Each structure stands twice: as structure tokens, then as C-alpha cells.
Amino acid sequence: MKSYQLSAGGRRNALLLMIGAGLIWAFAVWTFQSTLNISYAPDVNADPLGVLWSEEGLSVNKAVPALFMLVLMIAAPLTMWNISMEWMARYTPTNDGLRYESMMVSMVVPWSSISEIRAVDTDSDEPSHELRLKSDPTPQIANPLWRMLHAQAYGRMVLPIHAGVDQRDDLLDEIRRRTNLNA
């Protein structure tokens, strides 16, 4: 059976996005440290909590950037995980349904469970699509962490068909044919 995955151009774009998210994360870690004047390395003479215990305390002009950097320190790894899921996504139409595999996630979405194919970001040169589902396929993901991350990224009733998938139109036509959904 034919499998569909990211094209070389799609992988290149995903790699650039991954590098960008990694740089944002590194910048956030560095800025968080310098904003609060804290040390990540253990040093006998250094105060590990820096500005928090200083006489001037934590002011708004330090707290707001630090909070923003903390949000970036959490969001950037989630973004990199989502991009890596896109990088490794593989769609395989089978008799039972559409098999979706990516990293540690593997599930089969029955053809009868697909209710709609919806274009996302139609203004883009290459819009992505999502499959709207009638039932939640995420219980098929054995690991609860991977299940939670997948649901956080896409939702429980949606399966993305990424923009950079090679021969994506053929995949969408195959899904329409097997689900009897009109274009």
C-alpha cells in the first residue's frame, strides 16, 4: 500500500522551523537568566536566586520580560515537538481506514469516522487540510504522554493532513473516494 509523507521541500521547511524554534528557546533561556540575574551553574560564591533576593527585589520591568521568556521556554519545545510530528508523519490508506504514524504515535482512523475534509489557511500557496472525525482515535495511542501531546497539538477529533505532504492531492482524493465525501 502506498504511504504519503513530507516531500523534500516540506522536510526542508520543517527543519528551518525547527531550527528557528530552537533558537527562540535558547534566546528565552538566556534572556530569562540575565533578566533575573540568576545562575544556572552551581557556584559557591554566587546567589542562585539573583535579583529575587536582592535589595531592589523583583520589579515589573524585570517580572514582565521574565514571565514572557518563561512562556517561550515552555512553548518552544512544544512547537518543536509538533514540527517533529509533522516531519515524521506518514499516512497510509488501508482497507480498515487511514493509518497515521508519526514518532511514537500510531493509529487507524476508520473511513466511517471521517465526517469532513476541511481546508485550513486557504490563503496559503499550499494550504493544509484537516480531517474532522466523528469519534476519538487517540485511545489507540498507548503512551499517555504521547496521547496528551497529540491531543494538545491537534485536538481529539481532528487529524491534520500537512501542507508539505508529497502527492497530498492524491491522498485527499483517495480519502474522498473511500469516505464518499464530495470535493
Side-chain angles (χ1 to χ4, degrees):
M1 295 190 187
K2 183 171 172 66
S3 291
Y4 301 86
Q5 59 188 8
L6 278 185
S7 65
R11 287 180 182 266
R12 190 172 34 256
N13 289 342
L15 180 61
L16 291 173
L17 289 171
M18 185 85 73
I19 290 170
L23 290 173
I24 288 171
W25 179 82
F27 174 75
V29 169
W30 177 70
T31 304
F32 184 79
Q33 176 186 7
S34 64
T35 300
L36 294 181
N37 195 23
I38 58 176
S39 174
Y40 295 141
D43 185 3
V44 177
N45 299 325
D47 180 11
L49 296 178
V51 74
L52 298 177
W53 298 114
S54 70
E55 294 173 9
E56 65 188 55
L58 187 61
S59 62
V60 171
N61 62 347
K62 290 187 179 186
V64 171
L67 183 61
F68 182 67
M69 292 305 126
L70 183 62
V71 169
L72 287 177
M73 287 167 41
I74 295 168
L78 291 174
T79 301
M80 290 188 298
W81 183 86
N82 192 12
I83 294 168
S84 65
M85 286 292 289
E86 180 178 348
W87 174 289
M88 299 190 71
R90 179 179 312 246
Y91 305 93
T92 307
T94 67
N95 291 334
D96 297 330
L98 182 64
R99 174 171 293 285
Y100 172 79
E101 297 172 308
S102 183
M103 288 175 54
M104 305 287 251
V105 173
S106 179
M107 57 187 175
V108 176
V109 178
W111 297 116
S112 61
S113 179
I114 300 172
S115 63
E116 178 185 9
I117 302 173
R118 192 172 79 91
V120 181
D121 192 20
T122 55
D123 295 337
S124 174
D125 291 341
E126 191 175 357
S128 60
H129 288 77
E130 60 185 21
L131 304 179
R132 295 291 182 154
L133 308 176
K134 296 175 188 171
S135 61
D136 178 10
T138 60
Q140 296 176 43
I141 303 170
N143 186 312
L145 176 62
W146 295 123
R147 186 180 325 120
M148 187 270 307
L149 288 171
H150 179 79
Q152 176 270 331
Y154 306 118
R156 294 190 178 278
M157 305 298 278
V158 171
L159 182 67
I161 306 292
H162 301 293
V165 171
D166 196 26
Q167 300 176 349
R168 185 172 44 91
D169 290 336
D170 292 345
L171 172 62
L172 292 172
D173 289 343
E174 178 75 12
I175 294 169
R176 285 185 185 100
R177 185 180 67 75
R178 291 191 182 236
T179 58
N180 295 320
L181 294 174
N182 295 329

